[in-house]
Amino acid sequence: GENVEQHPSTLSVQEGDSAVIKCTYSDSASNYFPWYKQELGKRPQLIIDIRSNVGEKKDQRIAVTLNKTAKHFSLHITETQPEDSAVYFCAASSDYKLSFGAGTTVTVRA
Amino acid sequence: DTGVSQDPRHKITKRGQNVTFRCDPISEHNRLYWYRQTLGQGPEFLTYFQNEAQLEKSRLLSDRFSAERPKGSFSTLEIQRTEQGDSAMYLCASGQRPTDTQYFGPGTRLTVL
């Protein structure tokens, strides 16, 4: 089955700085890579996703890059704000079920 | 609220009891998924439905677990003879073919004493 590894497990950044989270996957058949943000006690919320026919996607302060050859993808958050503090999960899918990384706890220091 | 809903939000039970959770997906979505999330981990896939058909069950889903989606709308997840190791957040998600996008519900937090 698919194995997704996510790094780092915790990330502390100064407000206004950038945050980068990296994930690797094992199944070359995976073709869909979403990122979810989960605040304490709340549901995972989809923030951005990318498909394997695209190398990069951007939505305002959030961007995701995908390197199919190396089987890794990354989330970039620019100009971080206190409300960006949460746990972020990457995931990979080849058809229907998502395989998640273990999560990155992001803390934005004011 | 047109998002995915789950009921109950919290359930405390004693070991050995049976529990049942309900998920109501986004109305036009034909795919429904169940995941389990333990503290400090990402969600783990349990099972999924395409309309009323259960198409895959994870090996995490022991014989004590059963899921149904009788009319292709809401789904139930039942755990029989609960064990302390079943304590977790049970998340439901829904999606619509042909996209892979999944939208999660708020989850049911199960505590087995």
Side-chain angles (χ1 to χ4, degrees), chain B residues 9-50:
Chain B
R9 296 291 306 278
H10 304 274
K11 179 69 176 179
I12 300 173
T13 191
K14 293 182 179 179
R15 189 176 53 183
Q17 298 295 304
N18 299 343
V19 294
T20 300
F21 311 140
R22 176 180 170 126
C23 170
D24 286 89
I26 295 171
S27 59
E28 63 269 24
H29 285 181
N30 53 20
R31 286 186 168 183
L32 187 147
Y33 311 80
W34 285 98
Y35 291 84
R36 181 171 65 188
Q37 186 177 27
T38 54
L39 199 62
Q41 298 298 316
E44 295 176 292
F45 171 82
L46 294 178
T47 189
Y48 106 100
F49 293 83
Q50 174 77 32

Side-chain angles (χ1 to χ4, degrees), chain A residues 16-94:
Chain A
D17 288 349
S18 295
V20 180
I21 304 170
K22 298 183 179 182
C23 290
T24 60
Y25 62 99
S26 61
D27 187 354
S28 56
S30 289
N31 56 11
Y32 174 64
F33 307 91
W35 287 86
Y36 287 86
K37 174 184 179 183
Q38 189 174 31
E39 297 176 55
L40 191 63
K42 297 195 174 180
R43 73 184 73 195
Q45 180 183 9
L46 179 70
I47 55 172
I48 195 166
D49 57 11
I50 191 167
R51 301 183 190 278
S52 59
N53 58 348
V54 175
E56 183 174 356
K57 184 177 178 181
K58 189 172 182 181
D59 183 4
Q60 299 183 341
R61 297 186 297 108
I62 294 174
V64 58
T65 59
L66 171 65
N67 183 326
K68 286 178 57 181
T69 303
K71 294 188 203 167
H72 68 69
F73 55 113
S74 301
L75 178 72
H76 304 253
I77 306 173
T78 58
E79 301 172 14
T80 52
Q81 301 170 2
E83 53 264 37
D84 294 328
S85 295
V87 180
Y88 291 81
F89 293 98
C90 63
S93 169
S94 62

Side-chain angles (χ1 to χ4, degrees), chain B residues 34-78:
Chain B
W34 285 98
Y35 291 84
R36 181 171 65 188
Q37 186 177 27
T38 54
L39 199 62
Q41 298 298 316
E44 295 176 292
F45 171 82
L46 294 178
T47 189
Y48 106 100
F49 293 83
Q50 174 77 32
N51 298 314
E52 66 275 9
Q54 187 174 18
L55 297 186
E56 184 173 339
K57 293 172 60 174
S58 164
R59 63 181 183 276
L60 294 175
L61 219 61
S62 76
D63 291 344
R64 297 184 296 105
F65 288 71
S66 62
E68 294 182 340
R69 193 183 183 198
K71 296 182 180 179
S73 56
F74 73 91
S75 176
T76 58
L77 178 68
E78 180 182 16

